[in-house]
Amino acid sequence: QAVEGAAKMFGDSSALAALEQGEEHGVSEYHEALEEEGVMEEIKDEIRQTLLPRLTGHIATLKRFRA
């Protein structure tokens, strides 16, 4: 609902840009976690194999919508 409200107020392109920025922030956070020694290897594997590919897919989709 918040996204729909933002889209109505600022336009679809602005809402998509905000979503893309949030996903890119998530990618950055995951990359930082991969560098942390205290993060278990099982978690790092999940980040590499599942979470990062999912986010990069979301970003690609958002870019296509904005094009």
Side-chain angles (χ1 to χ4, degrees):
Q1 289 177 341
V3 173
E4 289 177 28
K8 288 177 185 174
M9 191 165 38
F10 299 111
D12 290 338
S13 182
S14 294
L16 292 172
L19 288 171
E20 185 179 334
Q21 184 178 14
E23 297 290 68
E24 288 172 347
H25 177 74
V27 168
S28 176
E29 292 288 314
Y30 285 142
H31 281 292
E32 286 181 26
L34 291 173
E35 299 298 319
E36 290 291 325
E37 291 181 22
V39 176
M40 296 185 309
E41 276 307 311
E42 294 84 8
I43 301 299
K44 290 182 179 183
D45 288 342
E46 184 70 14
I47 290 170
R48 284 187 205 99
Q49 295 171 9
T50 304
L51 300 174
L52 277 173
R54 189 175 296 163
L55 278 183
T56 54
H58 292 169
I59 292 167
T61 299
L62 291 166
K63 286 182 185 297
R64 281 194 307 272
F65 285 147
R66 290 183 56 210

